[in-house]
Amino acid sequence: MFFDEGWVPISEVTAEVFRRIQGYSGDGIVHETNKDLKTFLAISVWDICDASTKVGVTSADGRVIPASNDLVAWADPTELSNEHMNVMVGTIGSSTMPGEDGKIADRQQLIDRYGPFLSLPIVVPVNNYQSSLTFLEEEIKKNSRDEEVVDAAKTILGLVKGGKVVTRSIAQGKLGATLTRRKFKLAWALAS
C-alpha cells in the first residue's frame, strides 16, 4: 500500500501492537491476570486511536483525506471492531460488529453508507502512534485488578442504576480527568 509520509495505517498499528504483546507474553512480563491477549490488543489499539490528533483515509493515489475521529471511536473497548472498521483489517466498512438488526451489513449497505470511501485504509499520524507505543509495555505489566478501575466501574454502574442515561462523555465527566484513557476503557468494559 501507499501512504503519505507521517501516517500509518491502522492495520499496521494493530499488527505491531500484537507482535509486541506476544513478545511481552513470551518474555513472561505480562501479569498473570492479563493473559487475554485479544482484549489487551483491542484496548491498546483503541487507546492509540483515542490518542490520535487526526484521522485520515488513504485514497487510491496514496493521498490522505482528512476523516472524522468517529471512524476510530470504540464501541466496546474489548472488541476489535467498532461500527466502521475492524482494527485487524483497518479499512472503512471492514467492521464485524452486527447492526441493530443483529446482522453484519452486506456489500450494498456498505456501498450506500460509505460510497467511494468503502475499503479505503484508515490512517493515524505516526508520531501519535509511536508516542503511544512507549507506554505499552508499562501498561501490559500492570495488574488488571487495579482498584482505581474497579472504583470507576462501580461509579458507572451507580449512574446506570440511578436511572440516568450514561454515555462515555457523561461517565468521563463524572469520573474526572485523573483516570487515564486506558483505565477508563477497562472500567467501561468491566461495568458493561
Side-chain angles (χ1 to χ4, degrees):
M1 290 196 188
F2 306 96
F3 300 96
D4 274 348
E5 187 174 339
W7 294 87
V8 62
I10 294 292
S11 60
E12 287 183 24
V13 168
T14 304
E16 178 60 24
V17 170
F18 185 65
R19 279 190 293 275
R20 288 186 182 214
I21 291 172
Q22 282 184 314
Y24 299 149
S25 182
D27 292 343
I29 62 173
V30 175
H31 191 278
E32 192 61 37
T33 58
N34 296 341
K35 291 297 184 184
D36 181 5
L37 298 185
K38 179 211 157 252
T39 297
F40 277 88
L41 174 63
I43 289 171
S44 298
V45 173
W46 293 127
D47 209 29
I48 290 169
C49 291
D50 283 350
S52 294
T53 55
K54 300 186 276 187
V55 174
V57 294
T58 302
S59 63
D61 65 359
R63 187 174 42 95
V64 172
I65 302 165
S68 170
N69 283 14
D70 286 347
L71 287 177
V72 296
W74 51 272
D76 177 345
T78 63
E79 293 298 324
L80 296 170
S81 273
N82 68 8
E83 57 270 17
H84 303 291
M85 70 156 177
N86 180 304
V87 296
M88 301 290 282
V89 180
T91 60
I92 295 177
S94 60
S95 176
T96 55
M97 175 182 262
E100 291 179 15
D101 62 358
K103 298 177 184 173
I104 296 174
D106 64 28
R107 181 92 176 138
Q108 188 56 53
Q109 290 170 317
L110 293 172
I111 291 170
D112 292 345
R113 183 173 188 187
Y114 300 113
F117 297 99
L118 180 62
S119 300
L120 292 182
I122 299 170
V123 293
V124 294
V126 168
N127 58 346
N128 294 148
Y129 158 65
Q130 290 173 338
S131 176
S132 293
L133 282 181
T134 61
F135 301 104
L136 183 62
E137 182 176 354
E138 179 184 322
E139 292 295 337
I140 293 297
K141 287 180 181 180
K142 290 183 179 176
N143 186 334
S144 66
R145 182 69 180 167
D146 184 326
E147 289 307 315
E148 191 176 19
V149 171
V150 173
D151 291 343
K154 288 178 183 176
T155 300
I156 293 168
L157 287 173
L159 291 171
V160 172
K161 288 179 183 174
K164 297 181 180 175
V165 173
V166 180
T167 64
R168 288 188 294 231
S169 60
I170 290 171
Q172 285 173 321
K174 180 72 174 171
L175 294 169
T178 58
L179 200 63
T180 66
R181 284 188 310 268
R182 186 179 192 87
K183 286 186 178 185
F184 176 76
K185 284 181 199 64
L186 289 168
W188 187 271
L190 186 59
S192 294

